Amino acid sequence: VWAWGPSLESWPVATGEIEGGPDSPELWGELAQLIGRTWPHAEGGRLPVEAWGVDSGYGTANVYAFCSRYSHVKALDGRDGWGLSPLRRGPVGEVRGPDGLLARARVWQVGTWDLKRALFEGLGCAVDKAGAGVPGKIHLPGWVDKAWLEELTAETLIQKQDARTGIVSEERWKRIRRRNEALDLWVYCAALAKARGCGVPGAEPDWVELRNRLHAQADLEGLWDRPTRPVEPVTPVEPVNAFGGGAPAERVESLAERYARLNGGSQ
C-alpha cells in the first residue's frame, strides 16, 4: 500500500504477504477483507485506499473473477518499452478457469519502463534532498529493512555495444536480484496514481479539495478549527507487516543512511 502526494511524491504505508496460491478461495477472501480496510492518517482518523490493482499475469482466471466483482480493483498487465502510457485501458480479457467457468474482466496495461526510471529518480531524491514537497521523492520510513530495499532496487538499466559495428543498443531493464516484488508493486501503484493525475503536468488533482474530502470522509473531528496551513500530502503512520498491526513510523531516513545502517555502518 502506497500513499501519494503532489508531483508523484510517495510513502510506503504497508507491505506484507497473504499465504496461498491463486487457486485458494481463502486467499481471495483475505484479499477482499484487505481492500475493505482503512488506514490511519497522520492527523487522526482512518482513510480507505482509493484504487487497487492485481497483476493478471499469473492465475489469470482467478484475477479476472475477483476484479470483476470490485469496481476499484483493476486487473493489470505490465508492458515493456519506452514512451508507453502509465496506465492504458485495454480490452476485456476472457479466460476459462480450471472449473470450466469463463472469467471476464477489463485489463489495464501498465507502461513499466518509464515508471521504473521515475522510481530510481525518486530514490535519488531520497538521498540528495530532505523534507517533503520534493517532486517524485520516495520517503523511506523506519520500518523499511534491507531485504525490502533490495527488492525495490532489484533491476538496473543496461546497454550493449556490438563489438563489430560499434552500435549501442537501446537501454533496457535487467533484473539483478532474484526478488523484485517491491519494485513491481511501486510501479503498479504509481500507474494507478498517475491515472488520477499525480505527477502529470496540467492534470494534478485539486489537492485542497481532495484533502478536504478525505478528511471529511475520515471524520476528523475539529481538524479544520486549526489555522490554515499549506496543503501537505497524506502521510502514512502505521507500517504493517503481513497486513497486520504495526508500530508507529520512525524518523524518515535517506536511502544512503538506510543502507549504511543495515550494513553495519558501511555503505
Side-chain angles (χ1 to χ4, degrees):
V1 178
W2 284 82
W4 300 89
S7 302
L8 210 68
E9 278 191 86
S10 60
W11 293 255
V13 175
T15 184
E17 297 180 5
I18 297 175
E19 301 249 336
D23 293 331
S24 167
E26 291 78 15
L27 178 144
W28 297 105
E30 288 189 44
L31 184 57
Q33 292 181 0
L34 179 64
I35 66 174
R37 178 177 173 176
T38 58
W39 306 85
H41 189 276
E43 294 178 331
R46 301 180 69 87
L47 300 176
V49 172
E50 292 208 351
W52 291 88
V54 182
D55 190 339
S56 62
Y58 179 69
T60 305
N62 294 284
V63 174
Y64 286 0
F66 183 83
C67 292
S68 65
R69 297 175 55 192
Y70 300 93
S71 61
H72 65 309
V73 182
K74 289 180 168 57
L76 303 178
D77 179 27
R79 298 297 178 93
D80 293 342
W82 299 109
L84 301 180
S85 173
L87 190 68
R88 179 175 179 271
R89 180 186 174 96
V92 174
E94 294 185 350
V95 63
R96 200 168 296 279
D99 54 6
L101 298 177
L102 188 66
R104 181 185 294 110
R106 175 74 60 187
V107 180
W108 296 82
Q109 298 169 355
V110 177
T112 62
W113 283 16
D114 289 278
L115 289 173
K116 289 176 182 178
R117 188 189 293 276
L119 164 65
F120 281 86
E121 290 172 351
L123 288 173
C125 292
V127 173
D128 299 328
K129 300 178 181 179
V134 179
K137 180 174 179 177
I138 297 173
H139 299 262
L140 301 173
W143 58 266
V144 167
D145 60 18
K146 182 178 179 182
W148 186 87
L149 282 173
E150 289 181 343
E151 283 189 19
L152 192 67
T153 57
E155 297 186 18
T156 189
L157 276 174
I158 64 167
Q159 286 181 310
K160 292 184 179 180
Q161 183 175 29
D162 188 293
R164 183 174 59 84
T165 64
I167 296 175
V168 178
S169 65
E170 181 182 51
E171 285 186 312
R172 62 185 303 110
W173 291 97
K174 180 180 180 180
R175 187 186 299 190
I176 56 175
R177 298 188 182 94
R178 184 175 65 87
R179 302 196 63 168
N180 67 342
E181 287 91 340
L183 184 152
D184 282 347
L185 291 172
W186 186 94
V187 165
Y188 282 144
C189 289
L192 296 171
K194 275 185 166 284
R196 292 172 176 255
C198 296
V200 180
E204 284 275 4
D206 183 337
W207 290 98
V208 173
E209 186 279 330
L210 178 61
R211 190 166 185 253
N212 289 346
R213 176 169 61 84
L214 292 178
H215 284 174
Q217 183 177 352
D219 192 25
L220 302 182
E221 184 177 352
L223 176 65
W224 301 113
D225 294 333
R226 305 175 189 176
T228 302
R229 62 177 181 172
V231 175
E232 299 173 356
V234 173
T235 304
V237 296
E238 182 185 84
V240 176
N241 180 30
F243 302 123
E250 302 170 15
R251 180 182 68 87
V252 173
E253 295 177 300
S254 73
L255 183 63
E257 288 175 324
R258 184 63 47 76
Y259 267 121
R261 178 171 61 79
L262 295 173
N263 282 292
S266 61
Q267 296 189 37

